[in-house]
Amino acid sequence: MKVIILAGGLGTRISEETNDKPKPMVLIDGLPILWHLMNIFAIQGFNDFVLAVGYKASVIKDWFTDDKNSNFVNGWKIDLVDTGLDTQTG
């Protein structure tokens, strides 16, 4: 079963953290919030993800395709869908 995660928001309420990265990529304990969320699903056996990205989508794509982070996403299938910058909230 696929897990769809809306990850394209601007993060205006935490703008001091989102000047250079989108809200899902704000770090907690050295890893992005998005990874923590996906890991919770993976622990439950859901490893097929669709990430709906928009604002600074390249930051998300770069993190999940970077070889140095491959051990964090081992066994996960991740599809990125660019919803654009003008997409409304979920």
Side-chain angles (χ1 to χ4, degrees):
M1 179 182 298
K2 289 185 183 285
V3 176
I4 300 172
I5 300 174
L6 305 178
L10 295 174
T12 56
R13 290 179 291 207
I14 57 170
S15 59
E16 63 278 353
E17 289 289 330
T18 59
N19 287 327
D20 60 341
K21 61 184 164 275
K23 178 172 51 178
M25 298 307 288
V26 171
L27 300 179
I28 296 177
D29 199 25
L31 292 166
I33 291 172
L34 182 56
W35 177 87
H36 288 283
L37 179 63
M38 293 168 72
N39 192 52
I40 290 168
F41 280 107
I43 289 169
Q44 301 301 318
F46 300 97
N47 297 312
D48 192 356
F49 299 97
V50 177
L51 304 179
V53 298
Y55 176 69
K56 298 194 184 271
S58 62
V59 175
I60 295 173
K61 179 182 179 193
D62 291 347
W63 195 91
F64 282 98
T65 58
D66 191 328
D67 286 340
K68 71 178 181 174
N69 299 321
S70 63
N71 59 321
F72 295 113
V73 297
N74 191 23
W76 295 358
K77 181 180 182 296
I78 302 169
D79 294 315
L80 294 138
V81 178
D82 192 341
T83 59
L85 295 176
D86 297 324
T87 303
Q88 297 299 312
T89 61

